[in-house]
Amino acid sequence: MKRLLSIGLSLLLTSPVWADEGMWLLPLLKQQKFPEMQALGLKLQDYDIYSPDSASIKDAVVIFGGGCTGEVVSPDGLVLTNHHCGYGQIQQHSSVEHDYLTDGFWAMTRAEELPNPGLKVTFIDKIEDVTEYVLEELKKDTDPNSMNYLSPAYLNGLAVEKTGEKYLQDHPGTEVEIKAFYGGNKYYMFTKKIYPDVRLVGAPPSSIGKFGADTDNWMWPRHAGDFTVFRIYADVNGNPAEYSESNVPLRPKRWLKISLKGVQENDFAMMMGFPGRTNKYYTSWEVAERRDIDNTVRINVREIRQQVMLEEMLKDPVVRIQYFSKYAGSTNAYKNSIGSNWAINKRNFEEVKREEQDKLLVWAARMNKPEYKEALSVLEQIVKDRKDLRFRSWMLDEAISRGIEFTRVPSSVEGLSTAIRQKDTETRKNELERLKNGYERFADKDYSPVVDAKVAKVLLKEYRRLIPADKQPAYFSTIDKQFKGDVDAFVDHLFKSSIFGSEDNFRKFYQHPSVKGLENDPMILFAQAVQQEKQALADALKDFDAAYANAHRTYVRGLLEMYGDQANFPDANFSLRLTYGQVKGYAPRDAVYYDCQTTLEGVMEKEDPDNWEFVVPERLKELYQAKDYGQYGLGNGRMPVNFCATTHSTGGNSGSPVLNANGELIGINFDRNWEGVGGDIQYLPDYQRSIIVDIRYVLFIIDKYAGAGYLLNEMDLMDQ
Ligand code: ARG
Ligand code: GLU
């Protein structure tokens, strides 16, 4: 009877999940979403996508490096991902003579494929629900403030225990991981196979791969060929092995077929990949906190920093190259925060989350479950109580630690001081070398003291404007005491007198190292003071963390109980997920509609030879003029470039395969529109779009532009 009652109630309370919302876990897909996917046009069976006991599409989807997704597209281990995911590797192989970033790179034989030490590709072999096991183990933990239930170190320890050391030794390259879901209400174990020999096969020039650069980043309509081609190698038995000449291309369990048919508006589309982090289960108070502290601080501080960087970059071509990547990294998260705040305000996220909370309160009262009301008031109180600390911590992080590069000078110099004092020549020599290496790593070819000093001046002023003097790192009081509050004079002094202030200063110190020179060094004192303040803030916030995590876990459990746990997907946590929806344009503003497909016409419209972001390579223009699109064109004289879809994706989904109703590859995800980034908190059906390179553009660039069409011979191209 009680059971019937609760089923009745949960039918009344339908979860507010939008049709295309959700980053679904594969083992739950069948019960949760499969019928809806088929209704939307999917022609596959659930086991085609994910099957615990046989090869399925999921076996072709990999973690690429540390934070991107990739997909296997040939029986010889070819992998596709984004240009911005392979950027580090392309850069690493580049020099003045071979500038692969500018010119692109194409291996014309397998012998020319370039190894990338440190780069790994990870397959997910097995996914198991281990909730019962973990909860049982957690009972042994008697500390009420323990956060083991969320601790990766603890959970991975359990994973190894469950699997057995012997199994792992017998299976080289295999690793196991347990991840917490729904705030620690459920646990899944992932058995992974990690391949460390991954070679660069091909990359378009940045003028294609990164066309539109920062101006177009997070924007639709888009026109970038954001892809790179790699190949996975294994030992002769197909096992993971470090780079060796004797390694051979991996024969994967599964590779994706590639569709030449293209996409139409409203076509079914699905994406698999590794979304990194979302906050769907925020309460209204956390939404406001995110807007008023996290996002606001980031937007304000980065605006100030980027303006100085840009001025310097425009003045000096050397600085432009040096700061290109740092600037891009800075604007990426900056634009995201702007989109996030836009969505929070315009789409009333506080209200949306408050409605959900209120629903839970009513339900909990009726079901006599006071713990959920309690959890909500704890969350409300914590957000209030940590306000000041959180603001200080975000300001310190954005304006000082991330913003000012010299906060990262090598500042642990005690070993060297001691060695000098004790006249221990051997240690002194080693420590001095260590310091020199540290300095060279800090002041690398992309570091400009001139830019750093200019940035430091504006950021320190902003920091001091917003943070009371007694809440700043202790050493900052020098600015008032010795420099009468003159920040510029203070910064100039740092560069003039620190051993890290210039190459000249460091050389002098290196020749005559002295304890005095180290102990009074103003940049070292500055960096140490910042680190201490950072630690102090983290310690102070730690008190809130345990209570917060516990209340959050309880709140999410309440929602799962209220809606029934089939209805909701867990927040992203860089585990393998599937999201589906439709190829679709959108209306960003009154009377404006954006189509879902862009073409080479748009590349030519945006062309600007005087702006590096919009230079179109000569060869591409020739192909455009000749309309030489082969089997990749649209048939109406146009060449497809990008399309967008309603799939619910986030950071980490870069490089993710986008598949049609038959499970064939139609594109590679690489971005989201800025109107849709609020979807990390609340999915926006009318606004959120994944931005995807059309696979026909990828093939066209490989074949027609680069003349590397031989690579297509190993792919399964489907033209009907
Ligand atoms: N916005 C995309 C993402 O979040 C692309 C970032 C790289 N591109 C750039 N112009 N910064 O990763
Ligand atoms: N560019 C993002 C990535 O690197 C994807 C964009 C998004 O946040 O959806 O994963």
Side-chain angles (χ1 to χ4, degrees), residues 222-260:
R222 188 65 151 278
H223 299 88
D226 196 345
F227 78 95
T228 317
V229 190
F230 287 85
R231 191 189 302 280
I232 309 167
Y233 280 75
D235 69 15
V236 284
N237 301 316
N239 286 319
E242 291 296 334
Y243 170 80
S244 153
E245 259 185 70
S246 62
N247 283 352
V248 294
L250 174 73
R251 312 285 306 179
K253 263 196 250 177
R254 188 67 193 253
W255 59 93
L256 298 177
K257 293 180 173 147
I258 297 177
S259 170
L260 286 170

Side-chain angles (χ1 to χ4, degrees), residues 84 210 213-214 217-218 328 332 654 670-671:
H84 78 261
K210 209 178 152 71
D214 296 309
N217 192 24
W218 298 115
N332 194 40
S654 274
F670 71 102
D671 205 7

